Amino acid sequence: MTTRRISHSLLLVICSVIAALANLAWAQTSDGVLVISQPVETDVYAAHREVEVRATVDGDLIAAGRRITVDGDVAGDIIVAGQNIEIQSGVSDDLRAAGQYIHVTAPVSGHVVAAGQKVTIDQEVGDWAWLAGNTVEVVGNVGSGLKVRAANISIDSEVDGNVELIGDELDLGPNAVVRGDLRWRGRNEAVISPDAQIDGEF
């Protein structure tokens, strides 16, 4: 009886290892870099010193490492943590990121929650965005509202909703358009370009 249980347990372990290896068929590692270079039709869970996603992911992407680069479209959510995070391809759902430097240069269809020393949003966010850091720059349009807490805040894009900002410095550039109210609580007076537009209350 004991031998059968051990054999059964060993068989389960072997099957689990084979299944895990099969799931990693789309990934390669070299010099501390995990590269996903073939399309993946399921969720991806990856942790390595560096993670590079160069192919499409048909599910969610959850990754951790010193450097995370996403250069393949992701059909679900992206949840990442790392020192340097680059989102260079489209995200069909939501993005959640924590790191030292976070740079989003591709559109995100859902919402964005990001915290880091420097957070830069260069492309459109379909829904709302909550951002925190030492420096936060928003150049891409935001679909339904923006909340930022940072020492230095720069906005030079359109926000279709209310904006709530807390920090030390605020710079609203000439392309800044706020379709709702803008609430600013900071140590210094906001620097607002004469071409900036605030439709609601300031």
Side-chain angles (χ1 to χ4, degrees):
M1 194 73 138
T2 308
T3 307
R4 283 188 183 171
R5 281 188 191 158
I6 292 172
S7 298
H8 185 65
S9 299
L10 183 59
L11 182 61
L12 286 175
V13 169
I14 291 170
C15 289
S16 298
V17 169
I18 291 170
L21 291 174
N23 285 337
L24 290 176
W26 33 259
Q28 304 169 352
T29 57
S30 67
D31 298 331
V33 181
L34 176 69
V35 179
I36 298 169
S37 57
Q38 297 178 20
V40 183
E41 296 180 357
T42 61
D43 295 340
V44 172
Y45 300 87
H48 215 69
R49 186 169 63 89
E50 293 188 29
V51 177
E52 293 183 8
V53 180
R54 299 178 184 169
T56 58
V57 175
D58 252 355
D60 297 336
L61 170 65
I62 295 93
R66 184 184 298 172
R67 182 176 188 86
I68 310 289
T69 305
V70 180
D71 198 14
D73 291 341
V74 176
D77 295 333
I78 293 182
I79 302 171
V80 287
Q83 186 173 357
N84 293 293
I85 297 169
E86 293 268 349
I87 308 297
Q88 301 170 348
S89 285
V91 183
S92 296
D93 208 342
D94 304 325
L95 169 65
R96 297 174 189 91
Q100 189 169 4
Y101 300 103
I102 300 168
H103 197 182
V104 180
T105 60
V108 177
S109 296
H111 64 256
V112 174
V113 177
Q117 183 175 342
K118 183 173 183 181
V119 178
T120 304
I121 307 293
D122 279 341
Q123 283 289 333
E124 182 175 353
V125 176
D127 206 347
W128 47 267
W130 293 356
L131 312 172
N134 184 57
T135 299
V136 171
E137 298 174 348
V138 181
V139 182
N141 294 343
V142 179
S144 72
L146 175 65
K147 293 183 181 182
V148 180
R149 182 171 190 132
N152 302 294
I153 302 170
S154 175
I155 299 172
D156 200 22
S157 60
E158 184 173 328
V159 180
D160 192 10
N162 295 330
V163 175
E164 296 179 27
L165 310 171
I166 300 173
D168 295 338
E169 308 281 343
L170 171 60
D171 184 6
L172 282 186
N175 299 310
V177 177
V178 177
R179 297 292 181 196
D181 298 338
L182 189 150
R183 301 194 193 307
W184 161 245
R185 187 170 66 207
R187 294 186 179 180
N188 300 296
E189 189 174 337
V191 176
I192 301 176
S193 166
D195 295 323
Q197 176 183 331
I198 302 171
D199 291 349
E201 296 180 358
F202 176 67

